[in-house]
């Protein structure tokens, strides 16, 4: 997601819904926000909490900013109405059978005038993955639906959100998942999958201009994720 479109900073309370490894929570904290990393998986939350502590010790947390973890389910969040200025829900809704209930909870905990960034797998790259390997989407906790942007927007609008801009991301990641699904999604040792994974790690660490340009060109066509920005009136 693009923090230029979802600005956070000192005094802004942010919920990272389904935080997983905490990537977005860490960046929001670095920007000075008060961050709640929320997830069902306590093991993931323990790792996120440890990183919050490490970031503070390393001087990466601005004065006054806070980061904490809370365990729970997106269908019944333990927060009061209007608790957050910003909500990030990255790659979450596609896992939840009752996605409308989760959207309603997201709407509830967001303050009036608050904004959210919601990401889901893009339709085309996701459809290819489903076609290549049934295990990709039938594993416990896996994806239960493939969204079109129109469906996602319509559902969020019916909840009460104002629909804002969108963009695609991770164009370099789609071919990796196609390779994974073609050779077996759990076959991490396949030479082609390993080689492409090493390329992605190198890209993340080095961020060379060539791959930045390539991803910018690929994102609108095969971006693995679509990011939609919404506002609570």
């Amino acid at each position: 997601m693009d923090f230029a479109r979802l600005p956070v900073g000192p005094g802004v309370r942010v919920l990272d819904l389904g935080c997983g490894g905490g990537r977005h929570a860490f960046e929001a904290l670095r920007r000075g926000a008060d961050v709640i990393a929320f997830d069902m998986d306590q093991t993931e939350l323990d790792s996120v909490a440890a990183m919050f502590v490490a970031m503070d010790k390393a001087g990466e947390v601005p004065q006054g900013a806070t980061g904490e973890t809370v365990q729970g389910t997106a269908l019944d969040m333990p927060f009061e109405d209007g608790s957050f200025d910003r909500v990030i829900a990255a790659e979450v809704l596609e896992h939840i059978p009752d996605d409308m209930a989760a959207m309603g909870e997201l709407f509830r905990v967001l303050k009036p005038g608050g904004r959210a960034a919601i990401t889901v797998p893009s339709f085309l790259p996701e459809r290819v993955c489903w076609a290549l390997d049934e295990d990709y989407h039938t594993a416990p906790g896996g994806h239960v639906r493939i969204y079109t942007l129109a469906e996602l927007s319509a559902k969020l609008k019916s909840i009460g959100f104002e629909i804002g801009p969108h963009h695609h991301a991770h164009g370099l990641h789609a071919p990796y998942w196609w390779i994974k699904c073609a050779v077996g999604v759990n076959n991490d040792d396949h030479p082609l999958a390993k080689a492409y994974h090493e390329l992605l790690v190198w890209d993340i660490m080095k961020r060379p201009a060539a791959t930045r340009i390539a991803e910018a060109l690929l994102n609108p066509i095969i971006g693995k994720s679509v990011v939609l920005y919404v506002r609570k009136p």
Side-chain angles (χ1 to χ4, degrees), residues 14 112 143-144 165 174 223 227:
V14 178
H143 299 179
V144 299
V227 188

Side-chain angles (χ1 to χ4, degrees), residues 24-125:
H24 294 111
F26 302 147
E27 183 58 27
L29 184 61
R30 289 188 185 98
R31 292 169 181 259
D34 297 316
V35 182
I36 300 290
F38 183 79
D39 204 282
M40 292 179 62
D41 189 334
Q42 188 59 51
T43 300
E44 292 272 34
L45 291 176
D46 290 343
S47 176
V48 172
M51 181 58 73
F52 282 158
V53 172
M55 289 171 61
D56 188 41
K57 290 181 178 179
E60 296 183 31
V61 179
Q63 185 174 3
T66 60
E68 60 180 291
T69 61
V70 176
Q71 184 184 32
T73 169
L75 301 178
D76 186 21
M77 290 191 278
F79 308 116
E80 295 183 0
D81 297 357
S83 295
F84 297 95
D85 303 289
R86 304 283 186 268
V87 175
I88 301 166
E91 312 296 297
V92 174
L93 294 176
E94 70 274 10
H95 295 274
I96 303 174
D98 192 353
D99 61 337
M100 294 290 286
M103 292 177 190
E105 273 290 274
L106 195 162
F107 187 88
R108 180 185 68 79
V109 303
L110 194 61
K111 293 179 180 178
R115 299 179 182 273
I118 298 164
T119 90
V120 298
S122 299
F123 179 83
L124 176 59

Side-chain angles (χ1 to χ4, degrees), residues 107-178:
F107 187 88
R108 180 185 68 79
V109 303
L110 194 61
K111 293 179 180 178
R115 299 179 182 273
I118 298 164
T119 90
V120 298
S122 299
F123 179 83
L124 176 59
E126 186 75 350
R127 177 61 72 187
V128 173
C129 288
W130 281 46
L132 288 172
D133 189 352
E134 186 176 358
D135 289 340
Y136 174 81
H137 65 94
T138 58
H143 299 179
V144 299
R145 70 179 58 79
I146 303 176
Y147 286 103
T148 63
L149 178 59
E151 177 191 356
L152 179 64
S153 299
K155 286 184 172 182
L156 290 165
K157 187 175 181 180
S158 73
I159 293 294
F161 284 107
E162 295 175 350
I163 306 303
H166 73 275
H167 60 85
H168 291 79
H170 305 311
L172 291 176
H173 289 237
Y176 170 70
W177 283 102
W178 294 343

Side-chain angles (χ1 to χ4, degrees), residues 170-193:
H170 305 311
L172 291 176
H173 289 237
Y176 170 70
W177 283 102
W178 294 343
I179 292 169
K180 286 270 289 178
C181 290
V183 303
V185 71
N186 297 314
N187 186 5
D188 295 330
D189 293 328
H190 191 279
L192 189 55

